[in-house]
Amino acid sequence: MTMQKLELFDETFDPYRIESYQLSVQASLNGFSFCVMDVVRNQYIALVSIPFDFPVNNTEEWPDRLQDVVNAYPWLSGEFKKVLFCYESPANTIVPKAFFEPDEAQQLLKTIHPIDTLDEIWYNDFQNDLVSIFSIPSTLITNWLKIQKRTKAYAFAHPALCFHQLSSDSRGCATITLTLSSKFSVVIVSEASKLQHCGSFEAQTSEDIVYHLMNIAQSLKIPTNSTDIKLLGDISPWENLELLIGRFFHSGKQASTLDQNHFSYLLQKYKGKYANLFNLTLCE
């Protein structure tokens, strides 16, 4: 799926006021996206999506790819008030904090996802009783930290997890959130606000996605006819996805943010497509 080239700047954006802005970044093998929020006004005022001419095939390419981005937008190396970062990868797992040992983080993640020898293992708390473990290519995060040393990095699924938990039904009903990316999808399921499942799968068609959703729902004994599915990300490549989900579940509708922030009029229409990027702010 082709990554869209996009460059949107509200007229109030000022590269000389970086110290009052928050930068949120999402890197992938296909390109680099970032958005800028004016912290004083709690408003997103810039959104940029940069597709690479060709995907990253070797981790040693990351330094040059990052340098190209900074050369195009030199103010990215300025001192922002806050910098949030995620890497588009399914390599993530959630474990109870009571059983988490930092020295065992890599082994825990390896039992679920393949890890490259040049990947770094990161982890951070999720809510009060869970820990999110994930991996990032070392050359990517090391060189990004040279640009923004105070960056807080999160798993790709972390923003969706925060969105899901904050928007889930506390009355006992099941809630499902599906986050779509170019290579895989993340499914999060909770019941009565209790997390039941967080995992990923690859799919080629909308029918594949619905098949996986049905399997997960059946394994967790979720009543599909009364369960709504919130879709985050770009649904346009997935033909009739909302309609297909609606045949097997109560509904499937695109969601975006929790209205935790304001948006420039230029960015409003992209809230759903870039929901994961915008929702990084929920991880704080």
Side-chain angles (χ1 to χ4, degrees):
M1 297 177 187
T2 305
M3 187 174 176
Q4 179 184 10
K5 182 174 177 58
L6 199 64
E7 187 181 77
L8 299 172
F9 289 93
D10 185 85
E11 56 267 23
T12 62
F13 175 81
D14 184 349
Y16 298 103
R17 292 187 57 240
I18 295 302
E19 70 281 355
S20 63
Y21 294 161
Q22 172 183 292
L23 175 67
S24 296
V25 176
Q26 184 170 302
S28 77
L29 297 177
N30 295 318
F32 202 83
S33 301
F34 60 86
C35 60
V36 176
M37 183 179 74
D38 184 332
V39 177
V40 176
R41 294 185 293 152
N42 190 34
Q43 183 179 51
Y44 282 107
I45 56 173
L47 172 63
V48 176
S49 175
I50 310 167
F52 296 144
D53 292 335
F54 49 91
V56 174
N57 292 313
N58 189 303
T59 58
E60 296 306 314
E61 296 174 16
W62 278 116
D64 289 339
R65 301 295 181 101
L66 290 177
Q67 191 58 54
D68 288 343
V69 173
V70 175
N71 287 346
Y73 304 93
W75 46 267
L76 282 174
S77 59
E79 190 169 343
F80 287 84
K81 188 173 184 67
K82 191 177 294 183
V83 180
L84 309 176
F85 183 98
C86 74
Y87 172 62
E88 190 176 297
S89 166
N92 173 222
T93 190
I94 308 296
V95 298
K97 194 171 186 178
F99 302 107
F100 175 69
E101 293 291 341
D103 292 343
E104 298 175 2
Q106 181 172 351
Q107 191 57 41
L108 282 170
L109 190 58
K110 283 176 66 174
T111 61
I112 302 172
H113 295 281
I115 300 174
D116 192 278
T117 54
L118 297 179
D119 283 354
E120 287 189 16
I121 306 301
W122 286 57
Y123 54 86
N124 27 52
D125 291 346
F126 175 67
Q127 298 185 324
N128 295 323
D129 56 348
L130 299 171
V131 176
S132 171
I133 308 171
F134 59 102
S135 65
I136 308 180
S138 180
T139 49
L140 168 60
I141 193 62
T142 298
N143 284 277
W144 175 254
L145 289 173
K146 292 177 182 177
I147 300 167
Q148 290 293 341
K149 62 181 179 181
R150 295 190 297 123
T151 295
K152 293 184 178 180
Y154 295 92
F156 174 77
H158 205 121
L161 271 166
C162 294
F163 171 89
H164 177 88
Q165 291 297 84
L166 290 170
S167 63
S168 60
D169 196 319
S170 60
R171 297 169 299 174
C173 300
T175 307
I176 298 178
T177 298
L178 175 70
T179 297
L180 302 161
S181 78
S182 59
K183 299 289 186 182
F184 60 93
S185 298
V186 175
V187 183
I188 305 165
V189 183
S190 64
E191 198 164 9
S193 296
K194 184 177 180 181
L195 186 65
Q196 301 286 333
H197 174 87
C198 179
S200 61
F201 61 81
E202 295 182 2
Q204 301 297 321
T205 66
S206 297
E207 287 79 7
D208 291 343
I209 291 176
V210 174
Y211 171 79
H212 284 289
L213 289 172
M214 286 295 293
N215 273 347
I216 292 168
Q218 289 173 6
S219 67
L220 295 173
K221 295 181 171 56
I222 299 295
T224 57
N225 60 346
S226 61
T227 301
D228 295 316
I229 297 182
K230 297 172 184 176
L231 307 173
L232 300 176
D234 186 7
I235 65 172
S236 60
W238 303 99
E239 186 176 2
N240 297 322
L241 180 58
E242 289 173 297
L243 180 62
L244 281 171
I245 290 175
R247 291 179 183 174
F248 298 93
F249 293 84
H250 184 258
S251 70
K253 296 180 180 179
Q254 179 152 41
S256 57
T257 69
L258 297 176
D259 295 325
Q260 69 271 17
N261 310 108
H262 304 297
F263 287 79
S264 163
Y265 68 96
L266 291 173
L267 277 58
Q268 281 283 350
K269 64 184 282 188
Y270 298 98
K271 287 169 61 176
K273 181 174 182 177
Y274 293 92
N276 208 67
L277 178 63
F278 290 128
N279 283 329
L280 266 169
T281 189
L282 295 176
C283 300
E284 290 289 278

